[in-house]
Amino acid sequence: MKIFVVGANGQLGREIKRQFQDKYELFLHGTDTLNITNSDAVDTAIAKVKPDVVINAAAYTNVEKAEEDCDNAFQVNAIGAENLATSCKKHDSKLVHISTDYVFDGTKDKPYEEFDLHNPLSIYGRSKSLGEKLIEQVGGKYFILRTSWLYGDGNNFVRTMLRLSREKSEISVVGDQYGTPTYTKDLCWAIEKAMCTTFYGVYHASNEGSCSWYEFAKEIMTAAKCKTIIKSLTTAEYPVKAKRPMNSVMENRMLKLRGLNTMRPWQEALKDYLEHECQQL
Ligand SMILES: NC(=O)c1ccc[n+]([C@@H]2O[C@H](COP(=O)([O-])OP(=O)(O)OC[C@H]3O[C@@H](n4cnc5c(N)ncnc54)[C@H](OP(=O)(O)O)[C@@H]3O)[C@@H](O)[C@H]2O)c1
């Protein structure tokens, strides 16, 4: 199977390479070799390979910067996604597109399901939401996998907490925003499960369970045997530019209904990550 990956140098892209390189024929692209905002370049590259699957792991992911760099965030997250969808449809490739819990506003008092309405609070969330809508408009064989609080081989919350724990005896973390940490390894399993089917559509793909950022940080400290004290802050006490949803917990309803859910509890995935990827940190 030929798999074409954009965003191959990012956190998820690196995990895809690691997990898929011995099983599939991979065509990996970073921004340096393919900028997804360039529709002609995207179409030329996809036409040349005629891949079975295109995985879009590319995105403008800096949530804070996006508030002031709106056009670029929309170019990458919305137009870039549309360019890939258009070429995939033309060349009959499946598209796996990664989206986010930040398409929701966080006001629901239960976990979000796949067909809950979008109401993003930030530019990043709006641009990802438009990306999903444009893919749906283009049509074709697409899977949209929404994930949350992702960590893997790159800069992420877990690594930041481990670094801060070496520098400080106390760290304050927001305790009133809830979601689900998700390991890129587990997300790759979901990608693989989905892409080998013809059950196209929208999926939630996060690890199981939920926590606040504060609880997440506490679990990291416990699992990594760090003594640093974690203190809880409210969202109001930690001012940032981009508004975040207070509750972005998602239910993996469609993965479960299709018999494709392999997501582990987030605590189990975190232990695996700390044991295998953070030993040297
Ligand atoms: N990180 C999270 O907490 C989180 C949560 C929910 C959903 N997601 C979604 O999960 C996916 C993967 O996220 P990630 O954490 O792996 O992101 P990441 O580490 O920031 O990687 C994103 C990659 O996209 C590439 N990229 C940016 N603009 C591009 C362009 N115009 N053309 C081609 N490539 C471009 C970047 O390349 P350069 O470095 O060369 O710019 C980067 O390597 C994204 O769709 C993201 O929205 C992430």
Side-chain angles (χ1 to χ4, degrees):
M1 196 191 291
K2 289 196 271 188
I3 302 186
F4 186 102
V5 183
V6 292
N9 299 325
Q11 192 170 220
L12 175 62
R14 282 197 283 269
E15 183 69 39
I16 292 170
K17 182 180 174 198
R18 186 151 55 186
Q19 284 196 37
F20 290 0
Q21 65 188 351
D22 296 332
K23 293 191 195 172
Y24 304 108
E25 193 182 353
L26 292 185
F27 298 84
L28 301 169
H29 288 280
T31 325
D32 49 342
T33 55
L34 183 59
N35 186 329
I36 61 167
T37 65
N38 181 335
S39 59
D40 289 340
V42 165
D43 197 53
T44 304
I46 292 181
K48 200 165 143 197
V49 173
K50 295 212 182 323
D52 299 288
V53 180
V54 173
I55 303 177
N56 181 16
Y60 189 113
T61 54
N62 189 328
V63 178
E64 284 300 293
K65 200 169 155 211
E67 291 299 307
E68 286 174 354
D69 192 18
C70 184
D71 285 1
N72 279 324
F74 274 88
Q75 277 294 337
V76 179
N77 294 342
I79 304 301
E82 182 187 41
N83 290 339
L84 292 165
T86 304
S87 277
C88 283
K89 190 174 178 199
K90 188 167 157 194
H91 302 291
D92 200 33
S93 302
K94 293 178 181 177
L95 172 66
V96 179
H97 171 77
I98 309 303
S99 191
T100 172
D101 53 334
Y102 281 17
V103 299
F104 298 121
D105 64 13
T107 57
K108 198 178 169 186
D109 58 3
K110 291 195 186 93
Y112 282 92
E113 303 204 339
E114 282 80 352
F115 302 106
D116 281 323
L117 291 181
H118 293 194
N119 189 22
L121 304 173
S122 61
I123 298 292
Y124 168 75
R126 283 173 54 203
S127 64
K128 293 291 289 186
S129 170
L130 183 60
E132 287 193 22
K133 289 187 177 142
L134 292 173
I135 290 171
E136 285 166 0
Q137 248 173 50
V138 170
K141 301 172 174 176
Y142 66 83
F143 303 91
I144 293 172
L145 267 61
R146 283 186 204 129
T147 193
S148 54
W149 298 19
L150 203 59
Y151 61 87
D153 181 5
N155 290 328
N156 57 60
F157 184 78
V158 183
R159 289 192 180 197
T160 302
M161 288 299 118
L162 292 175
R163 179 177 51 77
L164 289 176
S165 75
R166 287 192 299 274
E167 297 165 2
K168 297 173 167 212
S169 56
E170 195 176 291
I171 311 170
S172 296
V173 180
V174 171
D176 56 0
Q177 287 172 25
Y178 289 82
T180 306
T182 303
Y183 185 11
T184 49
K185 187 196 245 186
D186 297 47
L187 178 57
C188 271
W189 296 342
I191 290 173
E192 189 173 21
K193 281 274 180 190
M195 77 184 190
C196 293
T197 72
T198 52
F199 300 141
Y200 306 114
V202 179
Y203 290 85
H204 285 174
S206 293
N207 277 123
E208 292 290 332
S210 63
C211 60
S212 66
W213 289 108
Y214 163 76
E215 290 164 339
F216 186 19
K218 293 264 285 184
E219 187 72 20
I220 295 165
M221 293 302 128
T222 306
K225 298 187 176 56
C226 295
K227 292 200 167 46
T228 305
I229 296 162
I230 305 295
K231 289 201 144 183
S232 180
L233 279 181
T234 63
T235 298
E237 288 172 314
Y238 187 73
V240 284
K241 283 194 206 106
K243 221 174 153 198
R244 269 89 169 162
M246 299 302 281
N247 165 37
S248 64
V249 180
M250 299 189 293
E251 169 70 17
N252 298 328
R253 177 75 69 207
M254 291 308 292
L255 286 177
K256 287 176 187 165
L257 289 174
R258 302 276 195 205
L260 304 173
N261 192 37
T262 52
M263 289 297 186
R264 297 175 286 183
W266 68 266
Q267 297 92 334
E268 206 181 297
L270 175 65
K271 274 200 194 91
D272 182 3
Y273 176 68
L274 290 171
E275 205 175 309
H276 294 102
E277 297 203 40
C278 296
Q279 287 289 353
Q280 73 288 7
L281 295 178

